[in-house]
Amino acid sequence: MWPSYLSKLKRGPQVVLPKDLGIIIAFAGISKDSFVLDAGAGSGWMAVGLGRVAARVVSYEMREDFAKLAGNNVQRLGLSNVEVRLRDILALGFDEKEADVVCLDMADADKAIPAAAAALKDGGVLVGYAPRQSS
């Protein structure tokens, strides 16, 4: 059974399901004090799931339609600690520094590693949740 908050969210692109989100939170050590960056907002399911645990989440999305959907999902849940930004982090990187965790939930996540490393604090955690591309 899914958490009830998910029934309020709209879906667009592929979403991160609770079984995967739980493992990410546990292994990355995300807590109520964590500052998390998320790249590849998509529908915003990861961002809102992280926002229910972390102190602050900033989620980046390069597609305007997906960023709008993710932002609307954040608003549906009334999460004031989650922000969705329209930006191609592969081209422009992250604005923030000193993140506890950076989650790369995007195709070509390997290309975003330098930007993620620059945004992480010393000892921070990089999470790669890359969709599989068919050949």
Side-chain angles (χ1 to χ4, degrees), residues 58-71:
V58 180
S59 186
Y60 285 87
E61 175 56 55
M62 64 185 264
R63 287 187 48 171
E64 188 172 0
D65 55 337
F66 291 171
K68 184 176 181 179
L69 173 60

Side-chain angles (χ1 to χ4, degrees), residues 85-101:
R85 295 185 183 169
L86 178 63
R87 182 181 195 150
D88 180 357
I89 62 107
L90 290 177
L92 302 170
F94 295 97
D95 284 335
E96 297 79 13
K97 305 291 182 224
E98 299 296 312
D100 296 298
V101 177

Side-chain angles (χ1 to χ4, degrees), residues 28-112:
I30 297 170
S31 71
K32 63 181 177 59
D33 299 319
S34 298
F35 169 40
V36 182
L37 295 174
D38 169 39
S43 299
W45 282 39
M46 181 182 283
V48 300
L50 294 170
R52 292 172 52 85
V53 177
R56 181 174 177 225
V57 177
V58 180
S59 186
Y60 285 87
E61 175 56 55
M62 64 185 264
R63 287 187 48 171
E64 188 172 0
D65 55 337
F66 291 171
K68 184 176 181 179
L69 173 60
N72 287 340
N73 278 335
V74 169
Q75 287 180 337
R76 277 185 188 88
L77 295 184
L79 295 173
S80 60
N81 63 326
V82 179
E83 179 182 353
V84 177
R85 295 185 183 169
L86 178 63
R87 182 181 195 150
D88 180 357
I89 62 107
L90 290 177
L92 302 170
F94 295 97
D95 284 335
E96 297 79 13
K97 305 291 182 224
E98 299 296 312
D100 296 298
V101 177
V102 175
C103 295
L104 301 177
D105 177 14
M106 53 192 282
D108 296 328
D110 58 318
K111 295 177 182 167

